[in-house]
Amino acid sequence: MTAFGVRLPVLALGLLATACSDDTTTSPGTTKTAETTTSSSPWFQDVATESGIDFTWQSSAAGDYNLPEIIGGGVALLDYDQDGDLDVYLVQGGDLISTRATPPSNTAFNRLYRNDGNMSFIDVTEATGAGDPGYGMGVATGDYDNDGDVDLYITNVGRNTLLRNDGDRFSDVTDTAGVGDRGWGTAAMFVDYDRDGDLDLYASNYLVWSPETEITCQAAQGGEDYCAPGNYPVAAPDRLYRNRGDGTFEDASETAGITTASRTGLGIAAGDYDGDGQVDLFVANDGMPDLMWRNQGDGRFVDVGLTMGCAIDNDGKEKAGMGVGSTDLDDDGDLDLIVCNLVGESDSIFRNEGTYFIDTTARTGVKAATSAYTRFGLGWLDFDNDGWLDLYEATGRVQRSPESGDADPYAEEDVLMRGDSSGRFTLVSPMGGTTSRTARTSRAAAFGDLDNDGRLDVVVVNRDAAANVYRNISAAPGHWVLIRALDDNGRDALGGMLSARVGQRRLTRPIQTAYSYFAANDPRVHLGLGTASTLEDVSIRWPDGVTEHFGSLPVDRIHTLQRGNGQPNP
């Protein structure tokens, strides 16, 4: 018997949907490859051991199949000490039942690793006070108090935590700030939705859940396993906090209209998706329609996901939305979307047509290649600096398959796809582009240039296995730039948009940290330029809508562009 009186059949995390009509379907656990595979030398090498990062996300699973055990955990890349390189913050799980009151050991705390250059990291958790004992899910980064230091917001099963960066230490200011939601927190992001110059906070929730109301389900091959969210009675409403500018937040969830739709949020992104000058919010939901919160400009939001064509896929199916990517794939100046999903469901690529989206997944080659895996963290970025976006996806099942091994029945190999000038993607061999092929149950993936060499690296969090620190070792002969855009407070201009001309192309990239799954990423905008030796006509549209021009920039360098140092629109 379960808490609801009956033992329910397992459905897997999210809806077990068949693949769309123009794909070849596979059963969970089988392996299917795309028709075209790009064979190449490895793109990434795992340097976790030599880098000094020794971290395992502890699910503390003990056979009770508590659903949070299969969902977490998170990772952030941030320059907390303002020394010019990215540090790594890893969100821990621990004992789901007792962690809230008494952490069983120091290993159950989140960990902060300081980058001392050239991929060498030092654990500074105790020295900085950055540890949090909650059963952690995800993390968001942003300078909410405009003091020039990057702060941390951690989502937990239970009370979320806001850690204010005071320069050399972090302080828990959750209660003072008023952002300690006690639900099941998942994805979160800092965003200035009201354009008043300080960062507000959006925090997604998953289900109304407690250990006392947990249920278990039967796996297809027998035995107990984790249940799908559809087996639980109540999805949880998200929270929207408006920054008052004095270190405190107002819970604006109800007045803004966010509580009108309670969904199972897992992935999140922000941008001006309809071109009206207001930042909108996109939330990927597990087994429910995704949300596109259109910003009305008066503090209120309305969900237009269905009418804009990005709530369900081209076949009218709700998918198990996990990780999210948001950037301009087709160089038309607006933001497109990608959402990754469950095994048997392909990713969804939504091309932005200005006032609506078109599902173009099949024509990109992504549809056939991805449906054999359960994908979580994703990076829609140019990893080989050839000028075209690639796709990295961290994978791991949420239910056992008949072919599952005994060591980790949920483990899979990650996926890497190379993009080209036609907008198509092909699988890279070796699998995942890594020097060693190891299947793990991967969740969060964060992306950024950890060694400042112009090639994007990856940090992947794994369930009950060591985190991967993937150094980009691709040949990457192309040119590149990294651009950090700072507003007049000296903080990353999250929600802004960078545009630049490369030959006949105009590239548009959002200034963002919130994408992927339970992750916060490098705030710097990375542009792979291929053979182009100049970057011209660089401009930034700041979050309040004002645009500045910065002319041409030298390539193969890291640039910092400060608001007020450019030229205004003529």
Short mmCIF file of all heavy atoms in Angstrom, two decimals, residues 211-252:
data_model
loop_
_atom_site.label_atom_id
_atom_site.label_comp_id
_atom_site.label_asym_id
_atom_site.label_seq_id
_atom_site.Cartn_x
_atom_site.Cartn_y
_atom_site.Cartn_z
N PRO A 211 8.20 13.67 3.22
CA PRO A 211 8.49 12.24 3.37
C PRO A 211 7.29 11.45 3.85
O PRO A 211 7.14 10.27 3.51
CB PRO A 211 9.63 12.23 4.41
CG PRO A 211 10.27 13.58 4.30
CD PRO A 211 9.15 14.52 3.96
N GLU A 212 6.42 12.09 4.62
CA GLU A 212 5.26 11.39 5.17
C GLU A 212 4.23 11.05 4.09
O GLU A 212 3.44 10.10 4.25
CB GLU A 212 4.60 12.23 6.27
CG GLU A 212 5.45 12.42 7.51
CD GLU A 212 6.60 13.40 7.32
OE1 GLU A 212 6.48 14.28 6.43
OE2 GLU A 212 7.61 13.28 8.04
N THR A 213 4.20 11.80 3.01
CA THR A 213 3.21 11.56 1.95
C THR A 213 3.82 10.91 0.72
O THR A 213 3.16 10.81 -0.31
CB THR A 213 2.53 12.88 1.55
OG1 THR A 213 3.52 13.80 1.06
CG2 THR A 213 1.80 13.50 2.72
N GLU A 214 5.07 10.47 0.83
CA GLU A 214 5.73 9.84 -0.32
C GLU A 214 5.04 8.54 -0.69
O GLU A 214 4.46 7.85 0.15
CB GLU A 214 7.21 9.60 0.01
CG GLU A 214 8.01 8.96 -1.11
CD GLU A 214 8.00 9.76 -2.40
OE1 GLU A 214 7.05 9.60 -3.18
OE2 GLU A 214 8.94 10.54 -2.60
N ILE A 215 5.07 8.23 -1.97
CA ILE A 215 4.55 6.97 -2.48
C ILE A 215 5.66 6.28 -3.27
O ILE A 215 6.66 6.90 -3.61
CB ILE A 215 3.32 7.20 -3.38
CG1 ILE A 215 3.69 8.10 -4.58
CG2 ILE A 215 2.17 7.78 -2.59
CD1 ILE A 215 2.56 8.32 -5.55
N THR A 216 5.50 5.00 -3.52
CA THR A 216 6.43 4.31 -4.40
C THR A 216 5.64 3.61 -5.49
O THR A 216 4.45 3.35 -5.36
CB THR A 216 7.27 3.27 -3.64
OG1 THR A 216 6.40 2.38 -2.93
CG2 THR A 216 8.22 3.94 -2.68
N CYS A 217 6.32 3.32 -6.58
CA CYS A 217 5.68 2.73 -7.75
C CYS A 217 6.44 1.48 -8.19
O CYS A 217 7.58 1.26 -7.79
CB CYS A 217 5.63 3.74 -8.89
SG CYS A 217 4.56 5.17 -8.55
N GLN A 218 5.81 0.69 -9.02
CA GLN A 218 6.41 -0.53 -9.53
C GLN A 218 7.16 -0.26 -10.84
O GLN A 218 6.62 0.39 -11.74
CB GLN A 218 5.34 -1.59 -9.77
CG GLN A 218 4.73 -2.15 -8.49
CD GLN A 218 5.71 -2.98 -7.69
OE1 GLN A 218 6.54 -3.69 -8.26
NE2 GLN A 218 5.62 -2.90 -6.37
N ALA A 219 8.38 -0.74 -10.92
CA ALA A 219 9.14 -0.64 -12.16
C ALA A 219 8.61 -1.66 -13.17
O ALA A 219 7.99 -2.67 -12.80
CB ALA A 219 10.62 -0.90 -11.90
N ALA A 220 8.86 -1.39 -14.44
CA ALA A 220 8.35 -2.26 -15.49
C ALA A 220 8.88 -3.68 -15.36
O ALA A 220 8.19 -4.65 -15.68
CB ALA A 220 8.71 -1.67 -16.85
N GLN A 221 10.14 -3.82 -14.88
CA GLN A 221 10.74 -5.14 -14.77
C GLN A 221 10.56 -5.73 -13.37
O GLN A 221 11.15 -6.75 -13.06
CB GLN A 221 12.23 -5.09 -15.13
CG GLN A 221 13.09 -4.33 -14.11
CD GLN A 221 13.15 -2.85 -14.41
OE1 GLN A 221 12.19 -2.28 -14.90
NE2 GLN A 221 14.28 -2.24 -14.14
N GLY A 222 9.73 -5.08 -12.54
CA GLY A 222 9.48 -5.58 -11.20
C GLY A 222 10.27 -4.82 -10.16
O GLY A 222 11.33 -4.25 -10.43
N GLY A 223 9.77 -4.81 -8.94
CA GLY A 223 10.41 -4.08 -7.86
C GLY A 223 9.97 -2.65 -7.82
O GLY A 223 9.35 -2.12 -8.75
N GLU A 224 10.28 -1.99 -6.73
CA GLU A 224 9.87 -0.60 -6.55
C GLU A 224 10.80 0.35 -7.29
O GLU A 224 11.96 0.04 -7.57
CB GLU A 224 9.82 -0.25 -5.06
CG GLU A 224 8.75 -1.00 -4.29
CD GLU A 224 8.68 -0.59 -2.83
OE1 GLU A 224 9.62 0.09 -2.36
OE2 GLU A 224 7.71 -0.97 -2.15
N ASP A 225 10.28 1.54 -7.58
CA ASP A 225 11.08 2.57 -8.25
C ASP A 225 10.42 3.92 -7.98
O ASP A 225 9.38 4.00 -7.31
CB ASP A 225 11.16 2.30 -9.75
CG ASP A 225 12.46 2.80 -10.37
OD1 ASP A 225 13.06 3.73 -9.80
OD2 ASP A 225 12.87 2.27 -11.41
N TYR A 226 11.05 4.97 -8.51
CA TYR A 226 10.52 6.31 -8.32
C TYR A 226 9.25 6.52 -9.15
O TYR A 226 9.09 5.94 -10.23
CB TYR A 226 11.58 7.35 -8.70
CG TYR A 226 12.78 7.31 -7.79
CD1 TYR A 226 13.95 6.66 -8.19
CD2 TYR A 226 12.74 7.88 -6.53
CE1 TYR A 226 15.05 6.59 -7.35
CE2 TYR A 226 13.84 7.82 -5.68
CZ TYR A 226 14.99 7.18 -6.10
OH TYR A 226 16.07 7.11 -5.26
N CYS A 227 8.37 7.37 -8.64
CA CYS A 227 7.10 7.65 -9.30
C CYS A 227 7.20 8.88 -10.18
O CYS A 227 8.03 9.77 -9.95
CB CYS A 227 6.00 7.87 -8.26
SG CYS A 227 5.54 6.38 -7.36
N ALA A 228 6.32 8.95 -11.15
CA ALA A 228 6.19 10.14 -11.99
C ALA A 228 5.47 11.24 -11.21
O ALA A 228 4.68 10.96 -10.31
CB ALA A 228 5.40 9.80 -13.24
N PRO A 229 5.73 12.51 -11.55
CA PRO A 229 5.06 13.60 -10.83
C PRO A 229 3.55 13.56 -10.98
O PRO A 229 2.83 14.03 -10.11
CB PRO A 229 5.65 14.86 -11.46
CG PRO A 229 6.18 14.42 -12.77
CD PRO A 229 6.65 13.02 -12.57
N GLY A 230 3.06 12.97 -12.09
CA GLY A 230 1.62 12.89 -12.27
C GLY A 230 0.92 12.01 -11.26
O GLY A 230 -0.30 12.07 -11.11
N ASN A 231 1.69 11.19 -10.52
CA ASN A 231 1.10 10.35 -9.48
C ASN A 231 0.91 11.11 -8.16
O ASN A 231 0.31 10.56 -7.23
CB ASN A 231 2.00 9.14 -9.21
CG ASN A 231 1.95 8.13 -10.34
OD1 ASN A 231 0.88 7.84 -10.87
ND2 ASN A 231 3.10 7.61 -10.73
N TYR A 232 1.42 12.32 -8.09
CA TYR A 232 1.30 13.12 -6.88
C TYR A 232 0.16 14.12 -7.07
O TYR A 232 -0.03 14.66 -8.16
CB TYR A 232 2.61 13.83 -6.57
CG TYR A 232 3.74 12.88 -6.28
CD1 TYR A 232 4.45 12.28 -7.32
CD2 TYR A 232 4.09 12.55 -4.98
CE1 TYR A 232 5.49 11.38 -7.06
CE2 TYR A 232 5.14 11.66 -4.71
CZ TYR A 232 5.83 11.08 -5.76
OH TYR A 232 6.84 10.20 -5.51
N PRO A 233 -0.59 14.41 -6.03
CA PRO A 233 -1.83 15.17 -6.23
C PRO A 233 -1.68 16.64 -6.50
O PRO A 233 -2.55 17.24 -7.14
CB PRO A 233 -2.58 14.94 -4.90
CG PRO A 233 -1.51 14.66 -3.89
CD PRO A 233 -0.44 13.92 -4.64
N VAL A 234 -0.60 17.28 -6.04
CA VAL A 234 -0.56 18.74 -6.08
C VAL A 234 0.79 19.24 -6.60
O VAL A 234 1.84 18.96 -5.99
CB VAL A 234 -0.82 19.36 -4.69
CG1 VAL A 234 -0.85 20.89 -4.79
CG2 VAL A 234 -2.12 18.84 -4.10
N ALA A 235 0.78 19.95 -7.72
CA ALA A 235 1.96 20.71 -8.16
C ALA A 235 2.06 21.98 -7.32
O ALA A 235 1.07 22.47 -6.78
CB ALA A 235 1.86 21.04 -9.63
N ALA A 236 3.27 22.52 -7.22
CA ALA A 236 3.50 23.66 -6.33
C ALA A 236 3.63 24.96 -7.12
O ALA A 236 4.26 24.98 -8.18
CB ALA A 236 4.76 23.43 -5.51
N PRO A 237 3.06 26.06 -6.63
CA PRO A 237 3.20 27.34 -7.32
C PRO A 237 4.61 27.89 -7.17
O PRO A 237 5.28 27.68 -6.15
CB PRO A 237 2.18 28.24 -6.61
CG PRO A 237 2.05 27.65 -5.24
CD PRO A 237 2.22 26.17 -5.41
N ASP A 238 5.09 28.58 -8.20
CA ASP A 238 6.38 29.25 -8.15
C ASP A 238 6.26 30.53 -7.33
O ASP A 238 5.16 31.01 -7.01
CB ASP A 238 6.86 29.57 -9.57
CG ASP A 238 7.13 28.32 -10.38
OD1 ASP A 238 7.21 27.22 -9.79
OD2 ASP A 238 7.26 28.44 -11.62
N ARG A 239 7.43 31.13 -7.04
CA ARG A 239 7.46 32.38 -6.28
C ARG A 239 8.19 33.45 -7.07
O ARG A 239 9.22 33.18 -7.71
CB ARG A 239 8.16 32.21 -4.93
CG ARG A 239 7.78 31.01 -4.09
CD ARG A 239 6.30 30.85 -3.90
NE ARG A 239 5.65 31.99 -3.27
CZ ARG A 239 4.33 32.07 -3.10
NH1 ARG A 239 3.54 31.09 -3.53
NH2 ARG A 239 3.81 33.13 -2.51
N LEU A 240 7.68 34.67 -7.03
CA LEU A 240 8.32 35.83 -7.64
C LEU A 240 8.51 36.88 -6.55
O LEU A 240 7.54 37.31 -5.92
CB LEU A 240 7.47 36.40 -8.78
CG LEU A 240 8.03 37.66 -9.45
CD1 LEU A 240 9.34 37.36 -10.18
CD2 LEU A 240 7.01 38.24 -10.44
N TYR A 241 9.76 37.26 -6.34
CA TYR A 241 10.09 38.24 -5.31
C TYR A 241 10.59 39.53 -5.96
O TYR A 241 11.54 39.50 -6.75
CB TYR A 241 11.18 37.70 -4.39
CG TYR A 241 10.81 36.43 -3.64
CD1 TYR A 241 11.28 35.18 -4.08
CD2 TYR A 241 10.02 36.47 -2.51
CE1 TYR A 241 10.96 34.01 -3.40
CE2 TYR A 241 9.69 35.30 -1.82
CZ TYR A 241 10.16 34.08 -2.27
OH TYR A 241 9.85 32.93 -1.60
N ARG A 242 9.96 40.64 -5.60
CA ARG A 242 10.37 41.95 -6.12
C ARG A 242 11.35 42.59 -5.15
O ARG A 242 11.08 42.70 -3.95
CB ARG A 242 9.17 42.86 -6.32
CG ARG A 242 9.51 44.18 -7.03
CD ARG A 242 8.31 45.10 -7.13
NE ARG A 242 7.87 45.56 -5.82
CZ ARG A 242 8.43 46.59 -5.17
NH1 ARG A 242 9.45 47.24 -5.70
NH2 ARG A 242 7.96 46.94 -3.99
N ASN A 243 12.49 42.99 -5.67
CA ASN A 243 13.54 43.61 -4.88
C ASN A 243 13.14 45.03 -4.52
O ASN A 243 12.89 45.86 -5.39
CB ASN A 243 14.85 43.60 -5.67
CG ASN A 243 16.07 43.93 -4.83
OD1 ASN A 243 16.00 44.63 -3.84
ND2 ASN A 243 17.21 43.40 -5.26
N ARG A 244 13.07 45.32 -3.22
CA ARG A 244 12.71 46.67 -2.77
C ARG A 244 13.88 47.64 -2.83
O ARG A 244 13.70 48.85 -2.68
CB ARG A 244 12.20 46.61 -1.33
CG ARG A 244 10.88 45.85 -1.15
CD ARG A 244 10.36 46.09 0.26
NE ARG A 244 9.10 45.41 0.52
CZ ARG A 244 8.97 44.29 1.24
NH1 ARG A 244 10.07 43.71 1.75
NH2 ARG A 244 7.79 43.75 1.45
N GLY A 245 15.09 47.12 -3.03
CA GLY A 245 16.26 47.99 -3.12
C GLY A 245 16.91 48.29 -1.79
O GLY A 245 17.89 49.04 -1.74
N ASP A 246 16.40 47.72 -0.70
CA ASP A 246 16.95 47.97 0.64
C ASP A 246 17.44 46.68 1.30
O ASP A 246 17.60 46.63 2.52
CB ASP A 246 15.91 48.66 1.52
CG ASP A 246 14.63 47.82 1.71
OD1 ASP A 246 14.56 46.71 1.12
OD2 ASP A 246 13.73 48.27 2.44
N GLY A 247 17.65 45.65 0.49
CA GLY A 247 18.09 44.37 1.03
C GLY A 247 16.95 43.41 1.31
O GLY A 247 17.19 42.28 1.74
N THR A 248 15.72 43.86 1.08
CA THR A 248 14.56 43.00 1.32
C THR A 248 13.76 42.83 0.03
O THR A 248 13.88 43.62 -0.91
CB THR A 248 13.64 43.56 2.41
OG1 THR A 248 13.01 44.77 1.93
CG2 THR A 248 14.43 43.87 3.67
N PHE A 249 12.93 41.80 0.02
CA PHE A 249 12.11 41.49 -1.14
C PHE A 249 10.64 41.43 -0.74
O PHE A 249 10.31 41.03 0.39
CB PHE A 249 12.50 40.14 -1.75
CG PHE A 249 13.85 40.11 -2.41
CD1 PHE A 249 15.01 40.00 -1.66
CD2 PHE A 249 13.96 40.18 -3.79
CE1 PHE A 249 16.26 39.95 -2.27
CE2 PHE A 249 15.19 40.13 -4.42
CZ PHE A 249 16.34 40.02 -3.65
N GLU A 250 9.78 41.79 -1.65
CA GLU A 250 8.34 41.64 -1.50
C GLU A 250 7.90 40.41 -2.28
O GLU A 250 8.27 40.25 -3.45
CB GLU A 250 7.62 42.88 -2.03
CG GLU A 250 6.12 42.71 -2.14
CD GLU A 250 5.48 43.78 -3.00
OE1 GLU A 250 6.19 44.71 -3.43
OE2 GLU A 250 4.26 43.68 -3.26
N ASP A 251 7.11 39.54 -1.66
CA ASP A 251 6.56 38.40 -2.38
C ASP A 251 5.45 38.90 -3.29
O ASP A 251 4.34 39.20 -2.84
CB ASP A 251 6.03 37.35 -1.40
CG ASP A 251 5.63 36.05 -2.10
OD1 ASP A 251 5.42 36.07 -3.33
OD2 ASP A 251 5.50 35.02 -1.41
N ALA A 252 5.77 38.99 -4.59
CA ALA A 252 4.81 39.52 -5.56
C ALA A 252 4.15 38.42 -6.37
O ALA A 252 3.52 38.70 -7.40
CB ALA A 252 5.54 40.48 -6.50
#
